[in-house]
C-alpha cells in the first residue's frame, strides 16, 4: 500500500497524521510524507519593493516550518508502527499541484490530508488544497476533519 500524507504543521494535518498512525496497514506499507511551502508572494508594485533578504528570510522560515511538520509526522508514525516504510519530501510550490504530481509519479493508492474547513470567501481567497486534490486525484483521497473544524473558520 502506498499512502501519501500531506502535512503543514497545523492541528488539521496533525489529525491526518493521527489517522494514519492509528490504522493497521498491511505489512511494509509505504508512507510518503509531503510538506509544501509556497513561494513568497510579492504584495507590492514596482514602485515600492522590500529588500531581497526579506523574501529569502520568508522562504527560509517556510522551509523550516515544512521541515518541522515532516519531522513531527515521521516521529509519530515511527512510534505507532515501526513496520511502515517512511519517505519524506519538502517541496516548494503550490500544495495541491505538488501533492497531485507526486501521487501520480509514485503510483499512490491513497492520499490523506487534513481539512481546515474553509468556506465562502475564505475558501475563494485562500483556496482549498483538500478540495482541489480530491477533485483531481487519480487515486482515493481521505480528507480528515476534526470536531473543531468549523465552516468559515
Amino acid at each position: 500500500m502506498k499512502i501519501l500524507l500531506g502535512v503543514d504543521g497545523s492541528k488539521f494535518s496533525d489529525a491526518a497524521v493521527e489517522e494514519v498512525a492509528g490504522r493497521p496497514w498491511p505489512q511494509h506499507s509505504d508512507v510518503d510524507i509531503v510538506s509544501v511551502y509556497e513561494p513568497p508572494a510579492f504584495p507590492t508594485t514596482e514602485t515600492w519593493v522590500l529588500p531581497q533578504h526579506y523574501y529569502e528570510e520568508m522562504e527560509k522560515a517556510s522551509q523550516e516550518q515544512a521541515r518541522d511538520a515532516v519531522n513531527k509526522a515521521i516521529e509519530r508514525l515511527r512510534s505507532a508502527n515501526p513496520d511502515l516504510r517512511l519517505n519524506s519530501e519538502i517541496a516548494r510550490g503550490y500544495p495541491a499541484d505538488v501533492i497531485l504530481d507526486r501521487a501520480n509519479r509514485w503510483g499512490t493508492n491513497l492520499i490523506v490530508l487534513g481539512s481546515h474547513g474553509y468556506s465562502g470567501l475564505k475558501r475563494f481567497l485562500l483556496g482549498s488544497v483538500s478540495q482541489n486534490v480530491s477533485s483531481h486525484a487519480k487515486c482515493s483521497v481521505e480528507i480528515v476533519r476534526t470536531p473543531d473544524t468549523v465552516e468559515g473558520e
Side-chain angles (χ1 to χ4, degrees):
M1 179 86 163
K2 292 182 174 183
I3 305 138
L4 190 149
L5 173 61
V7 296
D8 65 5
S10 70
K11 63 184 176 182
F12 308 106
S13 76
D14 291 347
V17 171
E18 287 303 317
E19 190 67 32
V20 172
R23 291 226 185 121
W25 299 104
Q27 189 173 14
H28 302 298
S29 289
D30 295 299
V31 179
D32 191 16
I33 305 162
V34 178
S35 188
V36 183
Y37 64 95
E38 294 188 37
F42 298 98
T44 61
T45 63
E46 293 176 10
T47 58
W48 188 76
V49 179
L50 294 167
Q52 181 62 30
H53 68 81
Y54 174 82
Y55 297 105
E56 291 167 0
E57 290 300 317
M58 278 181 54
E59 187 149 343
K60 186 177 173 183
S62 295
Q63 285 175 333
E64 190 60 36
Q65 181 180 355
R67 188 173 298 107
D68 289 346
V70 165
N71 289 339
K72 183 177 172 184
I74 289 171
E75 185 177 308
R76 176 63 182 115
L77 293 174
R78 277 202 180 121
S79 70
N81 188 341
D83 287 335
L84 289 174
R85 295 184 296 208
L86 304 177
N87 186 41
S88 64
E89 177 184 14
I90 297 165
R92 181 180 194 265
Y94 298 99
D97 295 340
V98 171
I99 289 167
L100 289 166
D101 181 58
R102 186 151 176 100
N104 290 336
R105 284 186 289 117
W106 190 45
T108 300
N109 303 108
L110 174 67
I111 300 171
V112 180
L113 304 166
S115 173
H116 287 245
Y118 297 138
S119 66
L121 184 59
K122 219 172 204 183
R123 174 176 270 163
F124 175 74
L125 294 173
L126 298 175
S128 173
V129 173
S130 58
Q131 182 182 16
N132 194 345
V133 169
S134 66
S135 297
H136 297 95
K138 295 178 182 172
C139 63
S140 296
V141 177
E142 179 175 346
I143 300 170
V144 179
R145 296 188 64 126
T146 62
D148 57 346
T149 301
V150 177
E151 289 294 322
E153 183 177 282

